[in-house]
Amino acid sequence: MNNRASQFFLELQETICRRLEEADGAARFRTDRWNHAAGGGGITRVLEGGALFEKAGVNYSAVSSTLTERLAKRLNTTEQSIFATGISIVLHPLNPYVPTVHFNTRYLELESGTAWFGGGTDLTPWYLFEDDTRHFHATLKAACDRHDASYYPKFKKQCDEYFYLPHRKETRGVGGIFFDYLKGNFDTIFALVQDVGNSFLDSYLPIVAKRKAMPWGATEKEWQLIRRGRYVEFNLLYDRGTLFGLETGGRTESILMSLPPDVKWAYDFTPVPDSPEEKLLGVLQHPREWV
Amino acid sequence: MNNRASQFFLELQETICRRLEEADGAARFRTDRWNHAAGGGGITRVLEGGALFEKAGVNYSAVSSTLTERLAKRLNTTEQSIFATGISIVLHPLNPYVPTVHFNTRYLELESGTAWFGGGTDLTPWYLFEDDTRHFHATLKAACDRHDASYYPKFKKQCDEYFYLPHRKETRGVGGIFFDYLKGNFDTIFALVQDVGNSFLDSYLPIVAKRKAMPWGATEKEWQLIRRGRYVEFNLLYDRGTLFGLETGGRTESILMSLPPDVKWAYDFTPVPDSPEEKLLGVLQHPREWV
């Protein structure tokens, strides 16, 4: 198995946690090292109850496991053993005006040597600020464009398609990029993955800086809690990474650290017409081009 | 299609909502009638913000729809059309000492006339009171025993197996009964289903009466919110009724009315050794016989 990818993910975890602690200013990450029953393990870092982040999870793993029959079928292979390494981040800010964000990159390698990268990042605001969304997408586009001009448009579309809740007829958020089964020359694709990884904080932290001091009240908090319910629905019903992890006997607390701290389900909640809440829904129902 | 089953479910919904309103004393059920795109529809009744119930949902439906390929495969049939009628109840009390409860019975009929009943009820306490659990199981056993002495032991075992979260190595609660694909003489099985339906309130309301005035504080509430997270995990990851409903284009708000009102995910939460919270976990990890 190739260890350059896992070494990069490990270092990225360290850098990102340090900079998120600086941004938060109050709370620190705890660190849990764990082993997978099948082989390998990971480091889970979680910050809770911060000034900025209600919950922030940054997970690194490098695991050798056995494919379940269902997963082998989906990957169109009969091979039984898989090496998977990756970094996965979900940040849940306290202030409803600061968007939740997800970032993940991973490298998978089958017994035969067949290998690929996957990953992506998507922004989930509870209130729409078009400038913020443009900044997020522009930063990702710049990282992609340095490698192949066809990447961003393709990955942006795949993101809207992947982070979609058919039972709600909504995207999870305002998108970003998503790619999977990226195969070919290791060095070429790894360079893209590194660039995307190194761009993550630049895509997100300037948005945090602009929104974190905005005052909010009960209306904004309730809306955030209800919309976080959609986040839970996506992760437990559809997210391939979550289901892959649980199916292959991954560490439950590390996989489900993506779930928001406080969540609310209100029956048939409908935003007030022409409210900022309804404006967000419009964009989730009809994804736009941002750059 | 047979309408006697759906008529019974409709009347049971009416009776149960009336008695739950009496028990709550403060809030009333709202009523939403809806149509399914494929044919038929339902009546969803939800009570929120009550004195006793933070959220109570009682759903009736009678829908003709088309089997998805995946569902047809699971049912081992190639038939495309299915009639499904049922009643589904989930009650989320405010007081952490009052258990959450679920009840559901349903009748399904394929184009060919092949038909079966399914259903069950299970109790999910956040604190273990052995007397309450014995009362719940004894009431269900009595209803089953009036029809066939082999039912309760079989259905009790199936309940422990069905309401199980493999990624947590826990049952959802202290069980009850669960049955599916009950085929044979319609009248015989329908009599059992009626008896179980008519016993539901007798199995649950006496427990409510004993626990509803117990004082609780922040510790009990936090535990309830965290355990409700497990309820969400079960429903979205494993519950066949939820997944069936969402896959067949059911009304999302009616299907997901089962989700708790307020929920919390805390990273790697572990109860204090020898606490009442830890005592509950012991029973969820090692299901017992109660009658």
PDB file of all heavy atoms in Angstrom, chain B residues 92-116:
ATOM      1  N   HIS B  92     -43.147  10.613  21.935  1.00  0.00           N
ATOM      2  CA  HIS B  92     -41.936  11.109  22.594  1.00  0.00           C
ATOM      3  C   HIS B  92     -42.333  11.990  23.778  1.00  0.00           C
ATOM      4  O   HIS B  92     -42.609  13.181  23.595  1.00  0.00           O
ATOM      5  CB  HIS B  92     -41.089  11.929  21.615  1.00  0.00           C
ATOM      6  CG  HIS B  92     -40.459  11.124  20.529  1.00  0.00           C
ATOM      7  ND1 HIS B  92     -39.435  10.236  20.777  1.00  0.00           N
ATOM      8  CD2 HIS B  92     -40.689  11.055  19.189  1.00  0.00           C
ATOM      9  CE1 HIS B  92     -39.053   9.668  19.632  1.00  0.00           C
ATOM     10  NE2 HIS B  92     -39.810  10.131  18.659  1.00  0.00           N
ATOM     11  N   PRO B  93     -42.368  11.426  24.970  1.00  0.00           N
ATOM     12  CA  PRO B  93     -42.709  12.229  26.144  1.00  0.00           C
ATOM     13  C   PRO B  93     -41.609  13.240  26.482  1.00  0.00           C
ATOM     14  O   PRO B  93     -40.445  13.055  26.115  1.00  0.00           O
ATOM     15  CB  PRO B  93     -42.843  11.189  27.262  1.00  0.00           C
ATOM     16  CG  PRO B  93     -42.962   9.879  26.566  1.00  0.00           C
ATOM     17  CD  PRO B  93     -42.179  10.028  25.304  1.00  0.00           C
ATOM     18  N   LEU B  94     -42.008  14.280  27.188  1.00  0.00           N
ATOM     19  CA  LEU B  94     -41.073  15.331  27.618  1.00  0.00           C
ATOM     20  C   LEU B  94     -40.207  14.846  28.777  1.00  0.00           C
ATOM     21  O   LEU B  94     -38.994  15.052  28.793  1.00  0.00           O
ATOM     22  CB  LEU B  94     -41.920  16.544  28.066  1.00  0.00           C
ATOM     23  CG  LEU B  94     -41.213  17.822  28.462  1.00  0.00           C
ATOM     24  CD1 LEU B  94     -40.455  18.415  27.285  1.00  0.00           C
ATOM     25  CD2 LEU B  94     -42.234  18.841  28.998  1.00  0.00           C
ATOM     26  N   ASN B  95     -40.827  14.210  29.754  1.00  0.00           N
ATOM     27  CA  ASN B  95     -40.145  13.742  30.965  1.00  0.00           C
ATOM     28  C   ASN B  95     -39.265  12.519  30.646  1.00  0.00           C
ATOM     29  O   ASN B  95     -39.764  11.508  30.153  1.00  0.00           O
ATOM     30  CB  ASN B  95     -41.221  13.367  32.008  1.00  0.00           C
ATOM     31  CG  ASN B  95     -40.624  12.999  33.355  1.00  0.00           C
ATOM     32  OD1 ASN B  95     -39.525  12.456  33.454  1.00  0.00           O
ATOM     33  ND2 ASN B  95     -41.382  13.284  34.405  1.00  0.00           N
ATOM     34  N   PRO B  96     -37.965  12.631  30.933  1.00  0.00           N
ATOM     35  CA  PRO B  96     -37.054  11.513  30.602  1.00  0.00           C
ATOM     36  C   PRO B  96     -37.377  10.210  31.337  1.00  0.00           C
ATOM     37  O   PRO B  96     -36.880   9.154  30.939  1.00  0.00           O
ATOM     38  CB  PRO B  96     -35.685  12.038  31.038  1.00  0.00           C
ATOM     39  CG  PRO B  96     -35.831  13.517  31.152  1.00  0.00           C
ATOM     40  CD  PRO B  96     -37.263  13.776  31.518  1.00  0.00           C
ATOM     41  N   TYR B  97     -38.195  10.298  32.386  1.00  0.00           N
ATOM     42  CA  TYR B  97     -38.567   9.069  33.097  1.00  0.00           C
ATOM     43  C   TYR B  97     -39.733   8.344  32.433  1.00  0.00           C
ATOM     44  O   TYR B  97     -40.043   7.209  32.789  1.00  0.00           O
ATOM     45  CB  TYR B  97     -38.892   9.375  34.568  1.00  0.00           C
ATOM     46  CG  TYR B  97     -37.648   9.651  35.379  1.00  0.00           C
ATOM     47  CD1 TYR B  97     -37.417  10.903  35.936  1.00  0.00           C
ATOM     48  CD2 TYR B  97     -36.695   8.655  35.570  1.00  0.00           C
ATOM     49  CE1 TYR B  97     -36.268  11.159  36.670  1.00  0.00           C
ATOM     50  CE2 TYR B  97     -35.536   8.902  36.308  1.00  0.00           C
ATOM     51  CZ  TYR B  97     -35.333  10.157  36.849  1.00  0.00           C
ATOM     52  OH  TYR B  97     -34.187  10.402  37.566  1.00  0.00           O
ATOM     53  N   VAL B  98     -40.402   9.002  31.518  1.00  0.00           N
ATOM     54  CA  VAL B  98     -41.497   8.362  30.776  1.00  0.00           C
ATOM     55  C   VAL B  98     -40.923   7.811  29.468  1.00  0.00           C
ATOM     56  O   VAL B  98     -40.323   8.566  28.700  1.00  0.00           O
ATOM     57  CB  VAL B  98     -42.644   9.361  30.479  1.00  0.00           C
ATOM     58  CG1 VAL B  98     -43.792   8.657  29.777  1.00  0.00           C
ATOM     59  CG2 VAL B  98     -43.123  10.031  31.759  1.00  0.00           C
ATOM     60  N   PRO B  99     -41.076   6.526  29.197  1.00  0.00           N
ATOM     61  CA  PRO B  99     -40.443   5.951  28.009  1.00  0.00           C
ATOM     62  C   PRO B  99     -41.090   6.388  26.700  1.00  0.00           C
ATOM     63  O   PRO B  99     -42.285   6.666  26.648  1.00  0.00           O
ATOM     64  CB  PRO B  99     -40.625   4.444  28.196  1.00  0.00           C
ATOM     65  CG  PRO B  99     -41.776   4.294  29.120  1.00  0.00           C
ATOM     66  CD  PRO B  99     -41.764   5.507  30.016  1.00  0.00           C
ATOM     67  N   THR B 100     -40.286   6.417  25.665  1.00  0.00           N
ATOM     68  CA  THR B 100     -40.779   6.564  24.296  1.00  0.00           C
ATOM     69  C   THR B 100     -41.343   5.215  23.880  1.00  0.00           C
ATOM     70  O   THR B 100     -40.874   4.163  24.320  1.00  0.00           O
ATOM     71  CB  THR B 100     -39.616   7.031  23.393  1.00  0.00           C
ATOM     72  OG1 THR B 100     -39.479   8.441  23.535  1.00  0.00           O
ATOM     73  CG2 THR B 100     -39.850   6.702  21.923  1.00  0.00           C
ATOM     74  N   VAL B 101     -42.372   5.237  23.040  1.00  0.00           N
ATOM     75  CA  VAL B 101     -42.955   3.978  22.586  1.00  0.00           C
ATOM     76  C   VAL B 101     -43.294   4.064  21.103  1.00  0.00           C
ATOM     77  O   VAL B 101     -43.579   5.152  20.581  1.00  0.00           O
ATOM     78  CB  VAL B 101     -44.212   3.620  23.425  1.00  0.00           C
ATOM     79  CG1 VAL B 101     -45.388   4.507  23.076  1.00  0.00           C
ATOM     80  CG2 VAL B 101     -44.582   2.145  23.267  1.00  0.00           C
ATOM     81  N   HIS B 102     -43.220   2.925  20.467  1.00  0.00           N
ATOM     82  CA  HIS B 102     -43.563   2.818  19.048  1.00  0.00           C
ATOM     83  C   HIS B 102     -44.564   1.686  18.882  1.00  0.00           C
ATOM     84  O   HIS B 102     -44.444   0.638  19.523  1.00  0.00           O
ATOM     85  CB  HIS B 102     -42.296   2.523  18.242  1.00  0.00           C
ATOM     86  CG  HIS B 102     -42.560   1.756  16.980  1.00  0.00           C
ATOM     87  ND1 HIS B 102     -42.401   0.380  16.895  1.00  0.00           N
ATOM     88  CD2 HIS B 102     -42.994   2.159  15.765  1.00  0.00           C
ATOM     89  CE1 HIS B 102     -42.719  -0.015  15.675  1.00  0.00           C
ATOM     90  NE2 HIS B 102     -43.080   1.030  14.970  1.00  0.00           N
ATOM     91  N   PHE B 103     -45.556   1.909  18.023  1.00  0.00           N
ATOM     92  CA  PHE B 103     -46.524   0.864  17.686  1.00  0.00           C
ATOM     93  C   PHE B 103     -46.835   0.958  16.198  1.00  0.00           C
ATOM     94  O   PHE B 103     -46.994   2.053  15.650  1.00  0.00           O
ATOM     95  CB  PHE B 103     -47.809   1.048  18.491  1.00  0.00           C
ATOM     96  CG  PHE B 103     -48.926   0.171  18.002  1.00  0.00           C
ATOM     97  CD1 PHE B 103     -49.045  -1.134  18.476  1.00  0.00           C
ATOM     98  CD2 PHE B 103     -49.827   0.623  17.045  1.00  0.00           C
ATOM     99  CE1 PHE B 103     -50.054  -1.961  17.997  1.00  0.00           C
ATOM    100  CE2 PHE B 103     -50.834  -0.209  16.564  1.00  0.00           C
ATOM    101  CZ  PHE B 103     -50.945  -1.501  17.048  1.00  0.00           C
ATOM    102  N   ASN B 104     -46.943  -0.192  15.549  1.00  0.00           N
ATOM    103  CA  ASN B 104     -47.273  -0.192  14.120  1.00  0.00           C
ATOM    104  C   ASN B 104     -47.922  -1.516  13.760  1.00  0.00           C
ATOM    105  O   ASN B 104     -47.496  -2.573  14.203  1.00  0.00           O
ATOM    106  CB  ASN B 104     -45.978   0.016  13.305  1.00  0.00           C
ATOM    107  CG  ASN B 104     -46.113  -0.401  11.854  1.00  0.00           C
ATOM    108  OD1 ASN B 104     -45.575  -1.427  11.441  1.00  0.00           O
ATOM    109  ND2 ASN B 104     -46.838   0.367  11.086  1.00  0.00           N
ATOM    110  N   THR B 105     -49.006  -1.459  12.998  1.00  0.00           N
ATOM    111  CA  THR B 105     -49.504  -2.670  12.337  1.00  0.00           C
ATOM    112  C   THR B 105     -49.869  -2.311  10.911  1.00  0.00           C
ATOM    113  O   THR B 105     -50.273  -1.181  10.615  1.00  0.00           O
ATOM    114  CB  THR B 105     -50.725  -3.302  13.055  1.00  0.00           C
ATOM    115  OG1 THR B 105     -51.642  -2.275  13.419  1.00  0.00           O
ATOM    116  CG2 THR B 105     -50.313  -4.073  14.290  1.00  0.00           C
ATOM    117  N   ARG B 106     -49.670  -3.249  10.041  1.00  0.00           N
ATOM    118  CA  ARG B 106     -49.858  -2.969   8.617  1.00  0.00           C
ATOM    119  C   ARG B 106     -50.342  -4.224   7.895  1.00  0.00           C
ATOM    120  O   ARG B 106     -50.131  -5.351   8.347  1.00  0.00           O
ATOM    121  CB  ARG B 106     -48.561  -2.475   7.990  1.00  0.00           C
ATOM    122  CG  ARG B 106     -47.422  -3.460   8.185  1.00  0.00           C
ATOM    123  CD  ARG B 106     -46.056  -2.849   7.848  1.00  0.00           C
ATOM    124  NE  ARG B 106     -44.986  -3.802   8.152  1.00  0.00           N
ATOM    125  CZ  ARG B 106     -44.423  -3.933   9.354  1.00  0.00           C
ATOM    126  NH1 ARG B 106     -44.777  -3.164  10.361  1.00  0.00           N
ATOM    127  NH2 ARG B 106     -43.483  -4.837   9.561  1.00  0.00           N
ATOM    128  N   TYR B 107     -51.012  -3.987   6.768  1.00  0.00           N
ATOM    129  CA  TYR B 107     -51.511  -5.072   5.918  1.00  0.00           C
ATOM    130  C   TYR B 107     -51.045  -4.779   4.509  1.00  0.00           C
ATOM    131  O   TYR B 107     -51.225  -3.659   4.013  1.00  0.00           O
ATOM    132  CB  TYR B 107     -53.038  -5.114   5.993  1.00  0.00           C
ATOM    133  CG  TYR B 107     -53.681  -6.019   4.976  1.00  0.00           C
ATOM    134  CD1 TYR B 107     -53.660  -7.409   5.140  1.00  0.00           C
ATOM    135  CD2 TYR B 107     -54.300  -5.490   3.849  1.00  0.00           C
ATOM    136  CE1 TYR B 107     -54.242  -8.244   4.200  1.00  0.00           C
ATOM    137  CE2 TYR B 107     -54.897  -6.313   2.908  1.00  0.00           C
ATOM    138  CZ  TYR B 107     -54.854  -7.693   3.083  1.00  0.00           C
ATOM    139  OH  TYR B 107     -55.425  -8.518   2.157  1.00  0.00           O
ATOM    140  N   LEU B 108     -50.418  -5.756   3.874  1.00  0.00           N
ATOM    141  CA  LEU B 108     -49.911  -5.561   2.508  1.00  0.00           C
ATOM    142  C   LEU B 108     -50.483  -6.605   1.571  1.00  0.00           C
ATOM    143  O   LEU B 108     -50.632  -7.778   1.955  1.00  0.00           O
ATOM    144  CB  LEU B 108     -48.381  -5.628   2.494  1.00  0.00           C
ATOM    145  CG  LEU B 108     -47.736  -4.433   3.226  1.00  0.00           C
ATOM    146  CD1 LEU B 108     -47.286  -4.843   4.613  1.00  0.00           C
ATOM    147  CD2 LEU B 108     -46.584  -3.867   2.429  1.00  0.00           C
ATOM    148  N   GLU B 109     -50.801  -6.175   0.373  1.00  0.00           N
ATOM    149  CA  GLU B 109     -51.431  -7.075  -0.589  1.00  0.00           C
ATOM    150  C   GLU B 109     -50.841  -6.826  -1.972  1.00  0.00           C
ATOM    151  O   GLU B 109     -50.854  -5.698  -2.469  1.00  0.00           O
ATOM    152  CB  GLU B 109     -52.942  -6.802  -0.590  1.00  0.00           C
ATOM    153  CG  GLU B 109     -53.770  -7.840  -1.291  1.00  0.00           C
ATOM    154  CD  GLU B 109     -55.265  -7.471  -1.247  1.00  0.00           C
ATOM    155  OE1 GLU B 109     -55.832  -7.390  -0.138  1.00  0.00           O
ATOM    156  OE2 GLU B 109     -55.838  -7.243  -2.329  1.00  0.00           O
ATOM    157  N   LEU B 110     -50.323  -7.891  -2.570  1.00  0.00           N
ATOM    158  CA  LEU B 110     -49.766  -7.775  -3.921  1.00  0.00           C
ATOM    159  C   LEU B 110     -50.875  -7.928  -4.955  1.00  0.00           C
ATOM    160  O   LEU B 110     -51.960  -8.419  -4.646  1.00  0.00           O
ATOM    161  CB  LEU B 110     -48.690  -8.833  -4.147  1.00  0.00           C
ATOM    162  CG  LEU B 110     -47.419  -8.693  -3.304  1.00  0.00           C
ATOM    163  CD1 LEU B 110     -46.498  -9.891  -3.525  1.00  0.00           C
ATOM    164  CD2 LEU B 110     -46.688  -7.398  -3.646  1.00  0.00           C
ATOM    165  N   GLU B 111     -50.546  -7.553  -6.202  1.00  0.00           N
ATOM    166  CA  GLU B 111     -51.479  -7.672  -7.331  1.00  0.00           C
ATOM    167  C   GLU B 111     -52.126  -9.060  -7.407  1.00  0.00           C
ATOM    168  O   GLU B 111     -53.318  -9.189  -7.697  1.00  0.00           O
ATOM    169  CB  GLU B 111     -50.692  -7.451  -8.629  1.00  0.00           C
ATOM    170  CG  GLU B 111     -51.124  -6.258  -9.438  1.00  0.00           C
ATOM    171  CD  GLU B 111     -50.155  -5.993 -10.587  1.00  0.00           C
ATOM    172  OE1 GLU B 111     -48.939  -6.169 -10.397  1.00  0.00           O
ATOM    173  OE2 GLU B 111     -50.643  -5.609 -11.667  1.00  0.00           O
ATOM    174  N   SER B 112     -51.331 -10.079  -7.139  1.00  0.00           N
ATOM    175  CA  SER B 112     -51.788 -11.471  -7.264  1.00  0.00           C
ATOM    176  C   SER B 112     -52.785 -11.871  -6.191  1.00  0.00           C
ATOM    177  O   SER B 112     -53.423 -12.915  -6.277  1.00  0.00           O
ATOM    178  CB  SER B 112     -50.588 -12.402  -7.148  1.00  0.00           C
ATOM    179  OG  SER B 112     -50.017 -12.260  -5.852  1.00  0.00           O
ATOM    180  N   GLY B 113     -52.893 -11.064  -5.113  1.00  0.00           N
ATOM    181  CA  GLY B 113     -53.749 -11.431  -4.003  1.00  0.00           C
ATOM    182  C   GLY B 113     -52.960 -11.926  -2.795  1.00  0.00           C
ATOM    183  O   GLY B 113     -53.488 -11.982  -1.688  1.00  0.00           O
ATOM    184  N   THR B 114     -51.704 -12.287  -3.010  1.00  0.00           N
ATOM    185  CA  THR B 114     -50.850 -12.650  -1.869  1.00  0.00           C
ATOM    186  C   THR B 114     -50.852 -11.485  -0.878  1.00  0.00           C
ATOM    187  O   THR B 114     -50.632 -10.340  -1.275  1.00  0.00           O
ATOM    188  CB  THR B 114     -49.399 -12.902  -2.330  1.00  0.00           C
ATOM    189  OG1 THR B 114     -49.418 -13.922  -3.319  1.00  0.00           O
ATOM    190  CG2 THR B 114     -48.514 -13.309  -1.161  1.00  0.00           C
ATOM    191  N   ALA B 115     -51.108 -11.803   0.385  1.00  0.00           N
ATOM    192  CA  ALA B 115     -51.250 -10.739   1.373  1.00  0.00           C
ATOM    193  C   ALA B 115     -50.661 -11.173   2.709  1.00  0.00           C
ATOM    194  O   ALA B 115     -50.568 -12.365   2.994  1.00  0.00           O
ATOM    195  CB  ALA B 115     -52.727 -10.395   1.540  1.00  0.00           C
ATOM    196  N   TRP B 116     -50.263 -10.210   3.499  1.00  0.00           N
ATOM    197  CA  TRP B 116     -49.742 -10.526   4.826  1.00  0.00           C
ATOM    198  C   TRP B 116     -49.876  -9.327   5.755  1.00  0.00           C
ATOM    199  O   TRP B 116     -50.037  -8.196   5.325  1.00  0.00           O
ATOM    200  CB  TRP B 116     -48.287 -10.990   4.744  1.00  0.00           C
ATOM    201  CG  TRP B 116     -47.320  -9.938   4.295  1.00  0.00           C
ATOM    202  CD1 TRP B 116     -46.588  -9.107   5.084  1.00  0.00           C
ATOM    203  CD2 TRP B 116     -46.976  -9.600   2.931  1.00  0.00           C
ATOM    204  NE1 TRP B 116     -45.822  -8.272   4.308  1.00  0.00           N
ATOM    205  CE2 TRP B 116     -46.022  -8.556   2.995  1.00  0.00           C
ATOM    206  CE3 TRP B 116     -47.375 -10.092   1.681  1.00  0.00           C
ATOM    207  CZ2 TRP B 116     -45.474  -7.984   1.848  1.00  0.00           C
ATOM    208  CZ3 TRP B 116     -46.826  -9.506   0.538  1.00  0.00           C
ATOM    209  CH2 TRP B 116     -45.882  -8.473   0.622  1.00  0.00           C
TER     210      TRP B 116
END
